[in-house]
């Protein structure tokens, strides 16, 4: 019997539709939030790794930096951006804004 990775969770699709009224819109919102999280984490990781950057090309002078490896491993073990975005969405922590609806509301005023 194959083991299921811990990152796989069965979700109730109705939970996704509660906030937007549409599962597909919810998935779109989650996707955009996951991209924001991913960019933020990548920038954070790159800035931490940049502290250890070296301009030396000589292989004899380049050595493995244990701190750099530990930082990389820490980020690898973190939950994936998609999982973080789903949790934020289901907990109501994601701000939803629909420009099309806002434009329609302004026209009727």
């Amino acid at each position: 019997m194959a083991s299921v990775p811990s990152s796989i969770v069965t979700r109730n699709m109705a939970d996704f539709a509660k906030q937007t009224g549409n599962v597909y819109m919810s998935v779109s919102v989650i996707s955009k939030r996951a991209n924001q999280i991913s960019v933020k984490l990548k920038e954070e990781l790159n800035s931490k790794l940049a502290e250890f950057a070296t301009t030396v090309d000589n292989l004899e002078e380049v050595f493995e930096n244990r701190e750099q490896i530990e930082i990389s491993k820490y980020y690898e073990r973190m939950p994936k951006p998609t999982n973080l975005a789903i949790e934020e969405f289901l907990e109501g922590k994601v701000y939803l804004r629909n420009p099309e609806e806002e434009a329609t509301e302004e026209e009727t005023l």
Side-chain angles (χ1 to χ4, degrees):
M1 183 170 200
S3 66
V4 177
S6 61
S7 64
I8 296 176
V9 177
T10 303
R11 304 276 184 182
N12 183 350
M13 295 307 287
D15 292 342
F16 288 103
K18 283 180 187 173
Q19 288 185 33
T20 62
N22 183 328
V23 172
Y24 300 104
M25 185 179 287
S26 296
V27 170
S28 176
V29 169
I30 291 168
S31 171
K32 289 175 184 177
R33 179 63 184 137
N35 285 336
Q36 290 173 341
I37 293 170
S38 178
V39 166
K40 185 180 121 199
L41 289 175
K42 186 171 181 133
E43 287 173 355
E44 193 177 288
L45 173 61
N46 286 338
S47 69
K48 288 183 180 181
L49 292 179
E51 295 174 16
F52 303 104
T54 179
T55 57
V56 178
D57 289 335
N58 187 348
L59 283 175
E60 294 173 4
E61 294 180 24
V62 176
F63 61 95
E64 288 186 350
N65 187 326
R66 183 152 307 283
E67 290 175 345
Q68 189 175 9
I69 293 170
E70 289 303 315
I71 289 171
S72 295
K73 285 182 180 179
Y74 170 78
Y75 278 89
E76 287 175 8
R77 287 189 298 264
M78 287 181 69
K80 302 297 178 222
T82 304
N83 291 343
L84 294 172
I86 289 170
E87 291 305 318
E88 286 181 3
F89 182 82
L90 293 176
E91 292 171 6
K93 296 179 179 178
V94 176
Y95 172 72
L96 305 175
R97 187 175 149 256
N98 189 337
E100 291 174 7
E101 287 179 10
E102 290 174 8
T104 306
E105 289 174 10
E106 288 177 6
E107 290 174 7
T108 58
L109 295 176

